[in-house]
Amino acid sequence: MADTDRVGTSVGLRRRTATQPAPPPTAPAAAQASADTAPQQLHRGMTLLATISLFIGTRDAWTAAMGSRPAVAAVISLCYASILICGALSLLIRTQRVLARVDAVVLITALALAACGYLLHHAGADEAALTAQAADQIRHGHPVYGQPWPWLFNLPHVGITKTMSGGADYVYGYPPLTAVLAAPMHAVIPTTAAATMVTTGALFAATVLLWFLLPAPWRSAATAVCLGFGFLPHYAAYGYPAITALALLIPVVVRWPQTGQGGVLGSRGTLRAICLGAACAAQQLAWFFTPFLLIGLYAIRRGELGPRRALALTARYTATAALTWSAVNAYFAAQDFSAWLDGILLPLNQKAILHGQGAMGISYYFTAGSSHLDYYTYASQLLLLGLLAATLLFLRRLGPAITVLPWIAFYLAPRSQDGYFLLMTPLWLAAAATVPAAALATAWQPRLPRLNSRRAKAALAAGLLAPAFACAAVAASSPPPLQLTLTPRYATHGSQAGVTAITLRAVNTTGSPLTPHFASRKGHGASNWWTIQSGPTTLAPHTSANYIIKPPGGFRPVPAGHSPTYLIAVTATPMTITTAPIAAPATGAPAFADGGD
């Protein structure tokens, strides 16, 4: 009997062992199993696209290096081998763990290529020249803001921002953080490279930081966006302070809905606020993103904590960022508050000459001008306010795109160059990878009792944006303020035919006095200002006058062909532009001698 019981017990034990599920694996075992699984196609695709993106610009860098720095060319050749091997491995690897290592190799290859590109071209542009000069001023305790440095713009690689008042900006017009970081570097390397090293280093740091913060399948996308496509290394090598701001905004944006979760800002939330304040102290683009972020943070925390606690947490976050910003700016504000304030606000009120790829091109490139260019400014401001209002009302829908929305406003601005759009594109990726729509599902939104349908909400959103587009339409459809009749004086210099002077008749068709300034344009860029040899400074309303103007250097080539040359006349108050074509000299036309040639 006892033996039977023992047998039965043994059989029962074996049956239970066979039917019960195995205990769950421990955490290390689970991680090992996950690493050994086949990678997702998304992960393969990201790795492959990042690898392919490294080809962009690499041949040009190799060609330049072969003529000046063969050792750099040798490194680029090794990078070619790495690109080819990583491209093959991205399609052949069978486990996530090994593919993650390939991602790391792609990142290292991209950093090596970007470093080679920097070694070949690191002199920078006007941003680097201004930042390096500001760094030198800081080192010696001299004022930074309100100090014109016209000699910086004599170098061929340093451009200049011309203003609608017929002048140009020769002063430092950025918040001070990048110059502060460049000051110790400038003590060792007293050239513009001190500034470009800071911005290039910031880009490298931003790339590595974003790579580690993103989920594994997205990491190679960070490599491609930051380094592979080539445009951000280009801006970093030019010394753009916006790259510094970008690096500081990355930890702010990654998983931003988690900031202040549970009502506690904590060390991570405090660090994010410090980074936000420092980014605002590096470049003005961060200013446009900040209100969108604060609206989103308040709405998410209000949905979790209620209005009072959410407001208190958002206020602590904002105060921490503001204190950081103030700490960076305090020394410069104490030196000369008015000059400092004018300097950091300069890009917003300088009335720079039109430039860019946005709506302003209608008045600059495709029509004879506009007498209401100020309406492009109004349009940009109204669009920014409309997008902010729409974000507040529909955060659950628009929240995932708050890293993109601020830059849309620049499309309607008088200065709408593509740098305003693309310099912050890594933030777009950070939001796409770490801020799913589900993270915003419980965010607070104002109640709109009469707007329950999608059509009604869409109509409200359209109404918020309509004033901006109406202003842009006014600017684009307005006629030019001047009627110009040109009589050029032609000459030849060697094999080039061109203009030595233009006699023109200008008729002011508006009710405002105009103070015109003249330049020529071939393509998208404007020349330096032409000299007015005779003619009134200000043209009264509904009057006409004759002017004689001369190009810089006394001669402006006007070749015949499919790319015409234009004369532009601009005024600052009100902001207007008038464009008239300069006829190319006919073949065999007589050349008139000119005393200035």
Side-chain angles (χ1 to χ4, degrees):
M1 184 69 179
D3 292 341
T4 305
D5 290 340
R6 283 195 298 272
V7 172
T9 303
S10 176
V11 171
L13 179 60
R14 287 196 297 269
R15 286 176 179 173
R16 284 194 298 271
T17 302
T19 57
Q20 286 180 349
T26 61
Q32 176 73 20
S34 175
D36 289 338
T37 58
Q40 307 169 18
Q41 281 303 108
L42 170 65
H43 193 170
R44 289 189 189 277
M46 290 292 186
T47 304
L48 184 62
L49 287 175
T51 304
I52 294 171
S53 74
L54 300 187
F55 282 123
I56 299 175
T58 303
R59 181 182 178 182
D60 292 338
W62 179 87
T63 302
M66 281 303 298
S68 58
R69 299 195 176 194
V72 174
V75 173
I76 295 174
S77 294
L78 291 176
C79 290
Y80 267 113
S82 178
I83 292 171
L84 295 172
I85 293 170
C86 290
L89 292 177
S90 65
L91 300 175
L92 298 175
I93 294 301
R94 295 185 177 182
T95 64
Q96 290 186 23
R97 184 198 310 175
V98 181
L99 187 56
R101 293 175 181 174
V102 174
D103 289 334
V105 175
V106 174
L107 173 64
I108 294 169
T109 305
L111 291 169
L113 286 171
C116 290
Y118 176 78
L119 290 174
L120 295 171
H121 306 287
H122 55 263
D126 50 325
E127 289 81 4
L130 287 167
T131 302
Q133 181 64 32
D136 185 61
Q137 298 285 104
I138 293 169
R139 281 200 313 116
H140 292 93
H142 297 159
V144 170
Y145 293 99
Q147 308 299 310
W149 303 318
W151 64 87
L152 296 177
F153 301 89
N154 294 330
L155 299 174
H157 62 275
V158 177
I160 191 168
T161 300
K162 292 178 281 292
T163 61
M164 301 288 280
S165 59
D169 279 328
Y170 300 105
V171 299
Y172 193 65
Y174 301 103
L177 181 59
T178 304
V180 171
L181 296 175
M185 200 77 65
H186 197 271
V188 181
I189 308 173
T191 66
T192 54
T196 59
M197 286 183 71
V198 170
T199 51
T200 301
L203 178 60
F204 286 6
T207 306
V208 174
L209 179 62
L210 184 58
W211 193 92
F212 277 105
L213 291 178
L214 292 186
W218 291 83
R219 286 177 173 173
S220 279
T223 303
V225 171
C226 292
L227 299 177
F229 295 142
F231 48 78
L232 289 183
H234 170 81
Y235 280 100
Y238 272 14
Y240 274 61
I243 299 294
T244 308
L246 166 66
L248 291 163
L249 286 175
I250 283 174
V252 176
V253 168
V254 172
R255 299 178 183 86
W256 67 265
Q258 297 179 5
T259 304
Q261 202 167 34
V264 178
L265 196 57
S267 58
R268 291 187 178 182
T270 302
L271 179 60
R272 287 174 173 172
I274 290 172
C275 288
L276 178 63
C280 291
Q283 213 267 354
Q284 292 91 341
L285 283 178
W287 301 0
F288 294 88
F289 169 69
T290 297
F292 288 87
L293 176 69
L294 295 179
I295 286 174
L297 182 60
Y298 171 75
I300 289 176
R301 295 286 76 85
R302 177 167 175 171
E304 175 193 11
L305 306 171
R308 185 172 299 178
R309 292 181 64 192
L311 183 61
L313 185 137
T314 306
R316 290 198 301 273
Y317 184 88
T318 306
T320 303
L323 285 173
T324 304
W325 180 85
S326 299
V328 176
N329 284 275
Y331 170 76
F332 306 94
Q335 274 188 323
D336 188 334
F337 182 83
S338 178
W340 163 78
L341 187 62
D342 289 343
I344 64 173
L345 296 179
L346 182 65
L348 305 181
N349 55 26
Q350 68 185 154
K351 292 190 175 182
I353 195 169
L354 301 180
H355 180 67
Q357 294 76 37
M360 45 67 55
I362 298 173
S363 301
Y364 194 32
Y365 306 123
F366 302 113
T367 68
S370 172
S371 56
H372 290 99
L373 291 181
D374 288 304
Y375 277 78
Y376 284 121
T377 301
Y378 307 150
S380 180
Q381 295 169 346
L382 289 171
L383 183 56
L384 183 67
L385 293 175
L387 290 170
L388 279 169
T391 301
L392 176 65
L393 295 174
F394 310 113
L395 183 72
R396 297 173 191 171
R397 187 72 180 89
L398 298 180
I402 67 165
T403 54
V404 182
L405 295 177
W407 326 121
I408 297 176
F410 286 101
Y411 193 81
L412 300 185
R415 298 279 288 186
S416 60
Q417 60 193 30
D418 61 354
Y420 297 138
F421 313 136
L422 61 85
L423 278 166
M424 297 295 164
T425 46
L427 303 182
W428 307 8
L429 174 65
T434 65
V435 185
L440 308 170
T442 60
W444 169 81
Q445 291 186 165
R447 292 184 179 180
L448 304 172
R450 298 183 180 181
L451 300 173
N452 296 322
S453 67
R454 290 185 178 180
R455 290 185 178 180
K457 292 178 180 179
L460 174 60
L464 293 173
L465 305 182
F469 292 102
C471 286
V474 170
S477 61
S478 295
L482 299 175
Q483 292 179 356
L484 300 180
T485 304
L486 310 185
T487 305
R489 299 186 66 186
Y490 299 111
T492 56
H493 280 181
S495 61
Q496 285 189 319
V499 171
T500 60
I502 293 179
T503 300
L504 64 88
R505 182 169 183 80
V507 180
N508 182 358
T509 62
T510 72
S512 302
L514 299 177
T515 303
H517 306 278
F518 300 94
S520 57
R521 174 178 69 80
K522 183 178 177 64
H524 70 279
S527 71
N528 291 331
W529 298 113
W530 289 39
T531 302
I532 300 177
Q533 288 201 314
S534 67
T537 301
T538 300
L539 192 59
H542 305 294
T543 61
S544 62
N546 294 324
Y547 289 84
I548 298 177
I549 59 175
K550 294 188 63 175
F555 181 78
R556 173 67 176 177
V558 184
H562 298 291
S563 299
T565 303
Y566 296 95
L567 182 75
I568 61 173
V570 302
T571 64
T573 306
M575 279 184 64
T576 71
I577 187 169
T578 304
T579 303
I582 302 175
T587 304
F592 293 91
D594 190 278
D597 290 339

